Structures are given as structure tokens and as C-alpha cells.
């Protein structure tokens, strides 16, 4: 399993569960961008608030926060399919190289 999207954790049964504090930040980002904010403005807002950036999280490990919220992280959140209810993971191996696996997640 790859990195866990910001706003989620993995339950004992392997399903995604929502992390409420992180999910609220994701909702704010998406709502603000939809209302006309820019990636740069959102990054500045979150940095000014002093919120820890997503960094990365893997199953069974605590989230390792980054130093700041770059606009590229905001773009990644806006384009993350998991927030629409589907998480896609690229799997190695198999005929012809990597393949994709999708699973439902709480949106």
C-alpha cells in the first residue's frame, strides 16, 4: 500500500477511515478553490494559520508532516480522487508492468 491520502487513516480491517481534523482542512481547501481562491492563496492561508502540512503517512505509522504547505500540495489535494469516494493505487508487477487497483473510501 502506498501513502495514505491526507484526511484518512487505515482501520484494522484495512478500510479507510476519516480523520476529522484533517478532513475539515480538506473540505476548506476544496470549498475555497471552488469559490475562486488560488492554489497559492490557499497555501499561504494554511501556512499563516500554522497548520502542519500533510507530509506523508503509511499504514501503521504516524503522519510525518512536511515543513510547509506548497501550492503543489494544494493541487494534489484538489485532484485526489479519494475525496470523491474512490482511491486508486498503482500496483507493480503483472503482465505489461504496473496495473491499477481501485477501492471505495468514505468521501
Amino acid at each position: 500500500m502506498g501513502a495514505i491520502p491526507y484526511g484518512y487513516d487505515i482501520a484494522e480491517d484495512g478500510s479507510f477511515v476519516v480523520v476529522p481534523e484533517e478532513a475539515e482542512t480538506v473540505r476548506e481547501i476544496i470549498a475555497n478553490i471552488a469559490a475562486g481562491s488560488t492554489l497559492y492563496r490557499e497555501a499561504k492561508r494554511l501556512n499563516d494559520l500554522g497548520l502542519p502540512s500533510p507530509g506523508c503517512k503509511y499504514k501503521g505509522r504516524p503522519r510525518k508532516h512536511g515543513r510547509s504547505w506548497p501550492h503543489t500540495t494544494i493541487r494534489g489535494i484538489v485532484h485526489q480522487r479519494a475525496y470523491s469516494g474512490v482511491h486508486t493505487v498503482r500496483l507493480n508487477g503483472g503482465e505489461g508492468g504496473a496495473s491499477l487497483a481501485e477501492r471505495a473510501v468514505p468521501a
Side-chain angles (χ1 to χ4, degrees):
M1 170 175 286
I4 300 167
Y6 186 67
Y8 293 103
D9 202 348
I10 301 293
E12 289 294 322
D13 67 359
S15 65
F16 278 87
V17 292
V18 174
V19 177
E21 307 82 33
E22 294 177 3
E24 181 59 32
T25 300
V26 170
R27 286 187 206 98
E28 288 176 7
I29 290 168
I30 292 171
N32 290 344
I33 295 292
S37 186
T38 66
L39 300 175
Y40 293 96
R41 191 177 306 144
E42 280 304 292
K44 180 174 180 357
R45 180 182 73 82
L46 295 167
N47 286 321
D48 288 349
L49 289 172
L51 289 176
S53 69
C56 60
K57 176 163 180 45
Y58 295 94
K59 184 176 179 181
R61 300 184 205 162
R63 181 167 296 283
K64 182 178 177 186
H65 294 282
R67 292 187 220 179
S68 66
W69 287 84
H71 75 281
T72 53
T73 297
I74 304 300
R75 182 181 65 218
I77 287 173
V78 170
H79 291 286
Q80 173 58 259
R81 290 188 62 209
Y83 303 129
S84 67
V86 177
H87 184 241
T88 304
V89 178
R90 188 173 303 276
L91 304 172
N92 293 328
E95 299 275 330
S99 60
L100 299 176
E102 291 185 346
R103 65 178 169 170
V105 295

